[in-house]
Amino acid sequence: MDRTNQPPTTKDLRQFGLLVGGVFAIIGLWPLVFRSESPRLWAMILGSLLIVLGAIAPQSLKQVHGGWMKIGHILGSINTKIILGIIYYLLITPMGLVMRLMGKDSMHRALAKDTDTYRIVRAPRPRQHMRNQF
């Protein structure tokens, strides 16, 4: 179900406050627990504030949630373009170049003026081929 155009429910806002607040609390406590350094006070304050508001008054997080989701959509769009570009230029393009250098044409795109059709007739499969799909 696509809920991008619907306002967040109280449950959504509560989950947002508790989850994001918990992550900020972990970021704040990380130096203390793993490096014996002083905790990050800014992250602890932000995490505590989000957790308290998420637990007590989740509707007060509506604006914060909206901004967070806008930033998330922008970053998701950027990441998608980067990841798909990397896959295309580092995987698909070299494969196509190698196939072209080897003279392969898996789509059989050569034009033949003496043929009536380009349909490739396949042998029918036996009835049992779909019996054990998994």
Side-chain angles (χ1 to χ4, degrees), residues 29-40:
L29 288 172
W30 190 273
L32 178 68
V33 174
F34 292 103
R35 288 185 269 161
S36 299
E37 297 175 1
S38 61
R40 295 181 180 116

Side-chain angles (χ1 to χ4, degrees), residues 15-115:
Q15 288 176 346
F16 167 76
L18 295 176
L19 179 68
V20 175
V23 169
F24 275 111
I26 290 170
I27 290 171
L29 288 172
W30 190 273
L32 178 68
V33 174
F34 292 103
R35 288 185 269 161
S36 299
E37 297 175 1
S38 61
R40 295 181 180 116
L41 195 57
W42 64 270
M44 291 294 299
I45 292 170
L46 185 58
S48 300
L49 181 67
L50 286 171
I51 290 172
V52 168
L53 287 176
I56 296 173
Q59 289 297 325
S60 64
L61 294 174
K62 193 176 283 192
Q63 296 297 322
V64 178
H65 180 268
W68 187 271
M69 295 309 284
K70 284 180 184 176
I71 291 170
H73 285 294
I74 292 168
L75 291 176
S77 174
I78 292 169
N79 283 341
T80 300
K81 290 176 177 123
I82 290 171
I83 291 168
L84 289 177
I86 288 171
I87 289 171
Y88 181 79
Y89 287 111
L90 294 181
L91 185 70
I92 295 173
T93 301
M95 281 177 28
L97 291 173
V98 168
M99 288 178 67
R100 185 173 289 182
L101 289 172
M102 293 175 56
K104 299 258 184 187
D105 184 15
S106 58
M107 291 175 52
H108 308 291
R109 292 177 291 187
L111 295 176
K113 297 185 185 230
D114 58 339
T115 59

Side-chain angles (χ1 to χ4, degrees), residues 4-24:
T4 55
N5 295 332
Q6 296 178 358
T9 63
T10 303
K11 180 182 176 185
D12 293 335
L13 295 171
R14 180 172 289 119
Q15 288 176 346
F16 167 76
L18 295 176
L19 179 68
V20 175
V23 169
F24 275 111

